[in-house]
Amino acid sequence: MAIFQHAYQGFHGQISSTLRQPWVIFRYALADVFSSKLFTAFFVLCFIPPLVMMCMIYMNYNLEMLSLLNLPLDKLITVDANFFAHWMQIPQMWLVFTLVMFVGPALISPDISNNALPLYLSRPINKTNYVFGKLLVLLVLGSLITWIPAWLLILFHANLGDQPWLLNNLHIPLASVVSSLIWIICLSMLSLAVSAWVKWKALARLFFFGFVWLSSALGAAIENIYGGWKGSTVSFIDSLDVMVSGLYGVTSSSSSMPSTASYLFFITVTVLATVLLARKIRAFEVNL
Amino acid sequence: MESDRLKQAENIDEVGSEVSSHEKNKHVAETNTDKVAFNPSASGNTDSVTEPAVFELQNLSVNFGRPILDKLTANVRGNCIGLLGPNGAGKTTLLNTLLGFNRPSSGSASIFGYDVSSQSDSVRHMVGYMPERDAFITGMTGIRFVRLMGELSGLSPSDALERAHEVFFYVGLGEARYRKIDTYSLGMKQLVKLAQAIVHGPKLLFLDEPTNGLDPPARTRMLQLIREIRDAGETKIIMASHLLKDVEECCDEALVLKQGKIAIYCNLEEERRSDRKFLLMHVRGDRDRFVSALRSLGCDVALTNRRRLKVILAQQIEIRDVYMAAEQLQVQIRSLDYKRDSLEDIFLRAMEDA
């Protein structure tokens, strides 16, 4: 069907596998995300903390620079699991939260409010592929600002320092990946669920923000009233700290809750969000 | 055309029924599936009989708390099939079920022999869908939207882009393809919906109320596009509409639904063919002998009531011959009328009968 012919003809070319469809959704959604200059600026800023930390690690091993800047050696930070957990991982996790809050609610709600789901689901793409394609955006962007720079820093440190350091601390890169993925997936599913149920993007962002912070406020209130760590079981802030500390093998500064409880919290939130999402991702609403 | 008509007449003679040929092609839902199946092209093309049905329903029921579709059984073939029915008849539900959006409560449905529930991937590779309501992704230009839909249908990015340009020109929106869809008029949005539905060259195109909200020129344009797609022969069309005229202009088959059941299923192409020599007569006298005389002339006669006859004249027979036969048998022809059995007549009758 050449343009000049203006006559209808079918398509006789190659049709690709259905496995490629989530990738198509990812590609288009990613392009939409980066069409916002504000987001692009924010995303670039997310790399500044890792860069600062890289400089700190570099300075740790550069005596000439330390003497030049007249910095006392005893006040240098120790690059260990605690450094990666509390200086690198947790701050980057909250940047992920901001990123997900910005991007997540805009991924599904426009499709629902504009009735685009029947267009997706009438094609060789199912609900799972659709959600996976959207999730992939958050997963990739989140990874780029959490465990990928963390790994680069770890490798950088291992390269500058003693070679056995990495072998003796293999749990650190592992903890970085696992904690990042748990956090990103949990927040992403929550934001997608909110996005599916709240059609207005701004309101969906507010809901997502409120859900995370109100749960933490509720946890703090429960702890103040009843004491112990029971309040931490509904708190995103405490659960994140406990999970990261547990995986890195350092002491949590916010709660005495066992790590298992924090995993349970994230799994529960993810499962609930998935159920809510599954109920909403359909071609048509059926009014009984 | 002449030979087709003769073949039809022969078939009618073989069956030996008293119903006219167009009545023969109207099938009430309760009839056996085998009887419902017939060749829509109605031109004696036996090849298409061996083709799998465009869609087949086997006791298909869909419930949403209450039954929406009730044990539908049909074997539908044709190039363009119209789904008709009053509001709430189940047209959109049937369409959604065929698209795999609704799960059947019982029974099954298949498209080109592929079960819509268990082989939905295969089905979705073959279909294009133009929904009734506005369905877009905001903030996208027309070309990017259609390209995305092409890629989601399995086209490579370069093929999808090429096809997107082609279909935009085809539907007549070539100049507007770089504009954001949000800025399109209603008529343009309808055309974009059609463009995204055909970008991957589907074997079966679902059109849900394609002329909704269009002004007369836009409606004419849309119907013309649908006819062109139909006539290209590469794509079968299922068109749900409440506008009988639209269905009549585009479709060669019509499936009329009422309260979740098939009220009637007819071949419009054969209806059109039979229209020209379709006579409705009121007679007084020896009706049986008159009927025999007409049949001996090669006419097909249906008795609608004690005095009313429906007659399809054979090729060589003129009305004058009918009068002569009546005169010989001393039969009075009290009235004689060319009756056009339009889709509206069929539809209204189906609504009364069902």
Side-chain angles (χ1 to χ4, degrees):
Chain A
M1 185 167 51
I3 287 170
F4 63 87
Q5 286 179 329
H6 283 230
Y8 178 77
Q9 279 183 9
F11 175 72
H12 303 289
Q14 195 76 27
I15 294 291
S16 64
S17 154
T18 50
L19 295 174
R20 209 177 63 91
Q21 262 66 327
W23 173 250
V24 174
I25 292 177
F26 163 74
R27 210 156 42 79
Y28 276 80
L30 196 67
D32 285 341
V33 166
F34 279 105
S35 66
S36 161
K37 286 176 186 165
L38 185 68
F39 175 79
T40 310
F42 165 75
F43 192 67
V44 170
L45 287 177
C46 289
F47 292 101
I48 289 177
L51 276 174
V52 171
M53 269 171 266
M54 196 174 77
C55 293
M56 287 165 71
I57 292 170
Y58 179 72
M59 281 166 63
N60 252 11
Y61 291 96
N62 196 324
L63 291 173
E64 281 179 25
M65 188 175 278
L66 287 174
S67 57
L68 200 70
L69 294 171
N70 207 17
L71 289 172
L73 289 175
D74 57 332
K75 289 198 175 169
L76 283 176
I77 53 159
T78 312
V79 181
D80 56 5
N82 195 50
F83 170 82
F84 282 108
H86 290 116
W87 286 74
M88 170 72 199
Q89 195 71 49
I90 290 178
Q92 291 302 102
M93 295 292 216
W94 287 109
L95 286 177
V96 167
F97 166 75
T98 314
L99 181 145
V100 170
M101 188 176 70
F102 190 87
V103 176
L107 286 175
I108 290 182
S109 63
D111 288 346
I112 292 179
S113 57
N114 292 295
N115 303 314
L117 286 181
L119 300 181
Y120 284 101
L121 300 177
S122 64
R123 294 184 150 75
I125 181 165
N126 55 26
K127 286 180 185 181
T128 313
N129 283 352
Y130 172 78
V131 172
F132 183 64
K134 300 286 186 184
L135 178 68
L136 215 51
V137 177
L138 298 170
L139 209 57
V140 169
L141 293 178
S143 296
L144 281 172
I145 61 171
T146 51
W147 65 268
I148 292 175
W151 270 41
L152 290 174
L153 285 183
I154 291 163
L155 290 174
F156 184 63
H157 176 65
N159 189 42
L160 290 177
D162 302 327
Q163 286 307 313
W165 180 85
L166 185 58
L167 288 175
N168 295 336
N169 293 281
L170 273 177
H171 71 284
I172 295 178
L174 191 69
S176 175
V177 176
V178 173
S179 61
S180 298
L181 290 181
I182 289 174
W183 180 248
I184 295 167
I185 290 171
C186 177
L187 287 188
S188 300
M189 292 309 288
L190 182 62
S191 75
L192 292 179
V194 171
S195 173
W197 282 84
V198 184
K199 288 182 182 178
W200 194 30
K201 276 191 290 188
L203 196 63
R205 283 186 183 124
L206 199 67
F207 262 88
F208 176 73
F209 181 85
F211 193 81
V212 172
W213 287 100
L214 284 179
S215 72
S216 302
L218 180 70
I222 292 171
E223 247 176 48
N224 280 338
I225 296 167
Y226 298 105
W229 51 265
K230 286 190 178 63
S232 299
T233 55
V234 294
S235 167
F236 272 91
I237 297 172
D238 290 349
S239 295
L240 173 66
D241 193 64
V242 169
M243 176 186 68
V244 171
S245 303
L247 284 167
Y248 276 90
V250 296
T251 313
S252 168
S253 56
S254 62
S255 175
S256 56
M257 179 174 73
S259 298
T260 324
S262 69
Y263 299 140
L264 270 176
F265 170 76
F266 288 121
I267 290 169
T268 309
V269 172
T270 308
V271 169
L272 282 176
T274 309
V275 170
L276 284 171
L277 199 55
R279 285 178 65 88
K280 206 67 182 173
I281 303 298
R282 54 178 63 180
F284 288 104
E285 288 288 325
V286 177
N287 299 314
L288 299 179
Chain B
M1 187 73 92
E2 297 300 314
S3 61
D4 292 343
R5 198 176 290 138
L6 284 172
K7 278 181 186 171
Q8 279 181 313
E10 282 168 14
N11 290 337
I12 292 163
D13 285 342
E14 280 169 19
V15 175
S17 163
E18 284 193 337
V19 294
S20 62
S21 64
H22 73 282
E23 280 177 327
K24 198 179 295 298
N25 290 320
K26 294 169 196 162
H27 302 272
V28 179
E30 288 75 22
T31 56
N32 189 305
T33 312
D34 297 337
K35 289 177 187 169
V36 173
F38 66 96
N39 179 6
S41 52
S43 52
N45 181 2
T46 51
D47 290 346
S48 55
V49 175
T50 56
E51 282 179 8
V54 173
F55 69 89
E56 191 175 352
L57 312 174
Q58 295 278 358
N59 285 317
L60 178 77
S61 296
V62 175
N63 285 295
F64 298 137
R66 62 185 175 86
I68 307 295
L69 297 179
D70 189 13
K71 293 182 180 170
L72 305 187
T73 296
N75 188 343
V76 180
R77 298 162 196 271
N79 289 322
C80 186
I81 301 140
L83 280 184
L84 285 168
N87 292 338
K91 300 187 295 288
T92 301
T93 305
L94 177 57
L95 220 61
N96 289 345
T97 307
L98 289 173
L99 281 162
F101 295 160
N102 299 331
R103 197 165 284 278
S105 314
S106 65
S108 65
S110 63
I111 290 176
F112 294 127
Y114 293 95
D115 189 272
V116 296
S117 300
S118 60
Q119 296 171 298
S120 60
D121 263 3
S122 305
V123 169
R124 286 171 184 183
H125 269 113
M126 294 188 289
V127 303
Y129 173 50
M130 176 184 174
E132 179 185 0
R133 294 186 296 174
D134 272 0
F136 303 107
I137 300 169
T138 49
M140 277 195 180
T141 59
I143 195 78
R144 188 161 178 260
F145 168 68
V146 175
R147 183 189 181 187
L148 166 62
M149 291 299 139
E151 285 192 52
L152 287 175
S153 299
L155 274 63
S156 68
S158 57
D159 281 344
L161 183 61
E162 191 181 335
R163 285 283 298 185
H165 282 290
E166 287 173 359
V167 292
F168 256 97
F169 275 95
Y170 174 65
V171 300
L173 290 180
E175 300 302 319
R177 64 195 192 278
Y178 291 111
R179 270 173 56 187
K180 288 199 171 176
I181 298 176
D182 315 48
T183 66
Y184 285 4
S185 68
L186 185 62
M188 291 164 87
K189 283 180 179 174
Q190 288 290 90
L191 290 170
V192 171
K193 281 198 286 179
L194 178 65
Q196 64 79 28
I198 60 173
V199 65
H200 54 295
K203 282 185 181 173
L204 178 61
L205 183 58
F206 288 91
L207 305 174
D208 198 356
E209 306 282 1
T211 56
N212 244 9
L214 296 182
D215 58 21
R219 180 181 160 273
T220 307
R221 172 77 182 136
M222 177 64 78
L223 294 178
Q224 186 194 340
L225 289 170
I226 294 169
R227 281 194 299 268
E228 281 176 19
I229 294 168
R230 177 198 67 190
D231 295 340
E234 294 189 46
T235 303
K236 310 278 185 190
I237 298 171
I238 297 177
M239 176 172 153
S241 179
H242 64 277
L243 299 174
L244 301 176
K245 199 162 167 47
D246 289 359
V247 172
E248 202 160 23
E249 281 186 36
C250 295
C251 299
D252 44 27
E253 305 273 324
L255 186 71
V256 184
L257 294 173
K258 186 188 178 188
Q259 292 173 344
K261 295 185 175 182
I262 297 174
I264 205 164
Y265 174 43
C266 65
N267 185 321
L268 298 176
E269 193 57 37
E270 291 198 355
E271 292 293 331
R272 286 183 202 113
R273 283 205 190 94
S274 61
D275 275 345
R276 273 198 295 171
K277 293 198 173 183
F278 182 80
L279 293 178
L280 191 64
M281 288 196 288
H282 279 194
V283 295
R284 184 173 288 175
D286 193 344
R287 188 195 63 169
D288 293 340
R289 284 182 62 202
F290 182 55
V291 168
S292 301
L294 290 175
R295 284 192 177 139
S296 67
L297 290 171
C299 302
D300 184 46
V301 184
L303 309 172
T304 56
N305 61 30
R306 205 164 59 84
R307 288 182 181 169
R308 218 165 79 158
L309 302 178
K310 277 185 177 178
V311 181
I312 297 172
L313 298 181
Q315 284 305 301
Q316 72 282 6
I317 301 298
E318 300 293 333
I319 296 177
R320 189 168 173 273
D321 301 320
V322 176
Y323 276 115
M324 284 173 67
E327 188 188 13
Q328 279 173 11
L329 298 169
Q330 298 291 305
V331 172
Q332 289 180 16
I333 297 178
R334 309 288 292 193
S335 71
L336 185 148
D337 194 14
Y338 275 107
K339 176 89 169 99
R340 190 173 189 278
D341 213 3
S342 68
L343 182 57
E344 191 174 349
D345 295 324
I346 297 165
F347 181 79
L348 292 174
R349 206 162 48 240
M351 290 301 106
E352 286 166 9
D353 294 346

mmCIF file of all heavy atoms in Angstrom, chain A residues 7 42 57-58 68 78 84 135 155 179 189-190 195 210 216 222 232 253-254 260 279 283:
data_model
loop_
_atom_site.group_PDB
_atom_site.id
_atom_site.type_symbol
_atom_site.label_atom_id
_atom_site.label_comp_id
_atom_site.label_asym_id
_atom_site.label_seq_id
_atom_site.Cartn_x
_atom_site.Cartn_y
_atom_site.Cartn_z
ATOM 1 N N ALA A 7 -4.799 3.010 -2.037
ATOM 2 C CA ALA A 7 -5.698 1.855 -2.078
ATOM 3 C C ALA A 7 -5.315 0.926 -0.937
ATOM 4 O O ALA A 7 -4.141 0.830 -0.582
ATOM 5 C CB ALA A 7 -5.558 1.139 -3.410
ATOM 6 N N PHE A 42 15.935 16.172 36.891
ATOM 7 C CA PHE A 42 15.925 15.417 38.150
ATOM 8 C C PHE A 42 16.761 14.142 38.022
ATOM 9 O O PHE A 42 17.536 13.798 38.918
ATOM 10 C CB PHE A 42 14.474 15.067 38.525
ATOM 11 C CG PHE A 42 14.371 14.006 39.587
ATOM 12 C CD1 PHE A 42 14.637 14.310 40.920
ATOM 13 C CD2 PHE A 42 14.037 12.704 39.254
ATOM 14 C CE1 PHE A 42 14.563 13.323 41.895
ATOM 15 C CE2 PHE A 42 13.952 11.720 40.220
ATOM 16 C CZ PHE A 42 14.219 12.034 41.551
ATOM 17 N N ILE A 57 35.630 8.383 47.955
ATOM 18 C CA ILE A 57 36.418 7.137 47.927
ATOM 19 C C ILE A 57 37.792 7.424 47.319
ATOM 20 O O ILE A 57 38.825 6.954 47.818
ATOM 21 C CB ILE A 57 35.676 6.041 47.129
ATOM 22 C CG1 ILE A 57 34.417 5.608 47.869
ATOM 23 C CG2 ILE A 57 36.570 4.824 46.896
ATOM 24 C CD1 ILE A 57 33.488 4.720 47.058
ATOM 25 N N TYR A 58 37.772 8.195 46.273
ATOM 26 C CA TYR A 58 39.036 8.510 45.602
ATOM 27 C C TYR A 58 39.968 9.252 46.553
ATOM 28 O O TYR A 58 41.158 8.938 46.649
ATOM 29 C CB TYR A 58 38.752 9.366 44.356
ATOM 30 C CG TYR A 58 39.998 9.766 43.610
ATOM 31 C CD1 TYR A 58 40.723 8.827 42.866
ATOM 32 C CD2 TYR A 58 40.459 11.079 43.669
ATOM 33 C CE1 TYR A 58 41.869 9.207 42.195
ATOM 34 C CE2 TYR A 58 41.611 11.454 42.991
ATOM 35 C CZ TYR A 58 42.299 10.515 42.254
ATOM 36 O OH TYR A 58 43.455 10.886 41.598
ATOM 37 N N LEU A 68 47.085 18.136 50.417
ATOM 38 C CA LEU A 68 46.855 19.407 49.718
ATOM 39 C C LEU A 68 45.660 20.154 50.324
ATOM 40 O O LEU A 68 45.687 21.367 50.515
ATOM 41 C CB LEU A 68 46.604 19.130 48.234
ATOM 42 C CG LEU A 68 46.805 20.298 47.284
ATOM 43 C CD1 LEU A 68 48.295 20.640 47.168
ATOM 44 C CD2 LEU A 68 46.263 19.945 45.902
ATOM 45 N N THR A 78 35.160 5.677 56.749
ATOM 46 C CA THR A 78 35.584 4.313 56.466
ATOM 47 C C THR A 78 34.645 3.754 55.399
ATOM 48 O O THR A 78 33.421 3.772 55.563
ATOM 49 C CB THR A 78 35.463 3.441 57.743
ATOM 50 O OG1 THR A 78 36.068 4.161 58.805
ATOM 51 C CG2 THR A 78 36.106 2.097 57.548
ATOM 52 N N PHE A 84 28.174 2.017 52.427
ATOM 53 C CA PHE A 84 27.334 1.747 51.253
ATOM 54 C C PHE A 84 25.842 1.706 51.606
ATOM 55 O O PHE A 84 25.003 2.123 50.824
ATOM 56 C CB PHE A 84 27.756 0.437 50.577
ATOM 57 C CG PHE A 84 28.993 0.595 49.744
ATOM 58 C CD1 PHE A 84 30.206 0.057 50.161
ATOM 59 C CD2 PHE A 84 28.969 1.297 48.556
ATOM 60 C CE1 PHE A 84 31.357 0.215 49.397
ATOM 61 C CE2 PHE A 84 30.123 1.467 47.796
ATOM 62 C CZ PHE A 84 31.316 0.929 48.209
ATOM 63 N N LEU A 135 6.177 -1.586 34.003
ATOM 64 C CA LEU A 135 7.045 -1.792 35.176
ATOM 65 C C LEU A 135 8.517 -1.665 34.791
ATOM 66 O O LEU A 135 9.339 -1.165 35.563
ATOM 67 C CB LEU A 135 6.752 -3.180 35.776
ATOM 68 C CG LEU A 135 7.585 -3.615 36.974
ATOM 69 C CD1 LEU A 135 7.258 -2.748 38.196
ATOM 70 C CD2 LEU A 135 7.330 -5.076 37.317
ATOM 71 N N LEU A 155 33.095 -1.465 42.755
ATOM 72 C CA LEU A 155 34.208 -1.879 41.883
ATOM 73 C C LEU A 155 35.332 -0.841 41.927
ATOM 74 O O LEU A 155 36.520 -1.189 41.942
ATOM 75 C CB LEU A 155 33.717 -2.069 40.441
ATOM 76 C CG LEU A 155 32.821 -3.267 40.195
ATOM 77 C CD1 LEU A 155 32.293 -3.253 38.765
ATOM 78 C CD2 LEU A 155 33.579 -4.568 40.454
ATOM 79 N N SER A 179 18.183 -5.378 47.737
ATOM 80 C CA SER A 179 17.395 -4.334 48.411
ATOM 81 C C SER A 179 16.826 -3.343 47.389
ATOM 82 O O SER A 179 15.672 -2.919 47.517
ATOM 83 C CB SER A 179 18.243 -3.607 49.458
ATOM 84 O OG SER A 179 19.354 -2.989 48.832
ATOM 85 N N MET A 189 4.924 -1.237 41.772
ATOM 86 C CA MET A 189 3.608 -1.882 41.724
ATOM 87 C C MET A 189 2.572 -1.029 42.445
ATOM 88 O O MET A 189 1.427 -0.898 41.997
ATOM 89 C CB MET A 189 3.663 -3.289 42.338
ATOM 90 C CG MET A 189 4.472 -4.293 41.531
ATOM 91 S SD MET A 189 4.036 -4.384 39.787
ATOM 92 C CE MET A 189 2.450 -5.189 39.855
ATOM 93 N N LEU A 190 2.998 -0.435 43.564
ATOM 94 C CA LEU A 190 2.078 0.429 44.302
ATOM 95 C C LEU A 190 1.687 1.641 43.450
ATOM 96 O O LEU A 190 0.500 1.998 43.363
ATOM 97 C CB LEU A 190 2.745 0.889 45.607
ATOM 98 C CG LEU A 190 1.891 1.758 46.532
ATOM 99 C CD1 LEU A 190 0.662 0.999 47.011
ATOM 100 C CD2 LEU A 190 2.706 2.240 47.730
ATOM 101 N N SER A 195 -2.054 4.398 40.020
ATOM 102 C CA SER A 195 -2.264 4.983 38.692
ATOM 103 C C SER A 195 -3.489 4.379 38.008
ATOM 104 O O SER A 195 -4.211 5.067 37.284
ATOM 105 C CB SER A 195 -1.014 4.742 37.844
ATOM 106 O OG SER A 195 -1.215 5.145 36.537
ATOM 107 N N GLY A 210 1.029 10.143 49.806
ATOM 108 C CA GLY A 210 0.319 10.018 51.065
ATOM 109 C C GLY A 210 0.363 8.609 51.609
ATOM 110 O O GLY A 210 0.563 8.396 52.811
ATOM 111 N N SER A 216 3.944 5.462 57.248
ATOM 112 C CA SER A 216 5.085 5.643 58.152
ATOM 113 C C SER A 216 4.678 6.435 59.391
ATOM 114 O O SER A 216 5.103 6.132 60.500
ATOM 115 C CB SER A 216 6.221 6.362 57.414
ATOM 116 O OG SER A 216 6.585 5.612 56.278
ATOM 117 N N ILE A 222 1.793 4.225 66.252
ATOM 118 C CA ILE A 222 1.597 2.932 66.939
ATOM 119 C C ILE A 222 2.762 2.676 67.892
ATOM 120 O O ILE A 222 2.576 2.218 69.028
ATOM 121 C CB ILE A 222 1.454 1.791 65.900
ATOM 122 C CG1 ILE A 222 0.140 1.952 65.128
ATOM 123 C CG2 ILE A 222 1.490 0.423 66.575
ATOM 124 C CD1 ILE A 222 -0.002 1.024 63.935
ATOM 125 N N SER A 232 6.555 -0.458 63.287
ATOM 126 C CA SER A 232 7.448 -0.487 62.115
ATOM 127 C C SER A 232 6.927 -1.408 61.022
ATOM 128 O O SER A 232 7.320 -1.281 59.855
ATOM 129 C CB SER A 232 8.847 -0.939 62.529
ATOM 130 O OG SER A 232 9.376 -0.042 63.468
ATOM 131 N N SER A 253 19.277 1.855 62.320
ATOM 132 C CA SER A 253 19.244 3.019 63.215
ATOM 133 C C SER A 253 17.831 3.389 63.628
ATOM 134 O O SER A 253 17.638 4.177 64.539
ATOM 135 C CB SER A 253 19.890 4.213 62.493
ATOM 136 O OG SER A 253 19.232 4.429 61.270
ATOM 137 N N SER A 254 16.828 2.821 62.968
ATOM 138 C CA SER A 254 15.462 3.293 63.232
ATOM 139 C C SER A 254 14.578 2.303 63.973
ATOM 140 O O SER A 254 13.627 2.712 64.625
ATOM 141 C CB SER A 254 14.780 3.677 61.911
ATOM 142 O OG SER A 254 14.692 2.555 61.089
ATOM 143 N N THR A 260 12.955 -10.168 58.674
ATOM 144 C CA THR A 260 11.879 -10.969 58.058
ATOM 145 C C THR A 260 10.580 -10.170 57.997
ATOM 146 O O THR A 260 9.849 -10.245 57.010
ATOM 147 C CB THR A 260 11.633 -12.253 58.892
ATOM 148 O OG1 THR A 260 12.888 -12.710 59.382
ATOM 149 C CG2 THR A 260 10.965 -13.327 58.085
ATOM 150 N N ARG A 279 -7.252 -6.185 38.874
ATOM 151 C CA ARG A 279 -8.700 -5.917 38.809
ATOM 152 C C ARG A 279 -9.023 -4.762 37.873
ATOM 153 O O ARG A 279 -10.125 -4.653 37.360
ATOM 154 C CB ARG A 279 -9.243 -5.610 40.203
ATOM 155 C CG ARG A 279 -9.386 -6.837 41.089
ATOM 156 C CD ARG A 279 -9.865 -6.435 42.445
ATOM 157 N NE ARG A 279 -11.211 -5.882 42.402
ATOM 158 C CZ ARG A 279 -12.315 -6.601 42.488
ATOM 159 N NH1 ARG A 279 -12.236 -7.907 42.608
ATOM 160 N NH2 ARG A 279 -13.501 -6.034 42.454
ATOM 161 N N ALA A 283 -10.069 -4.564 29.403
ATOM 162 C CA ALA A 283 -10.464 -3.761 28.243
ATOM 163 C C ALA A 283 -11.673 -2.889 28.547
ATOM 164 O O ALA A 283 -11.743 -1.740 28.147
ATOM 165 C CB ALA A 283 -10.752 -4.675 27.067
#
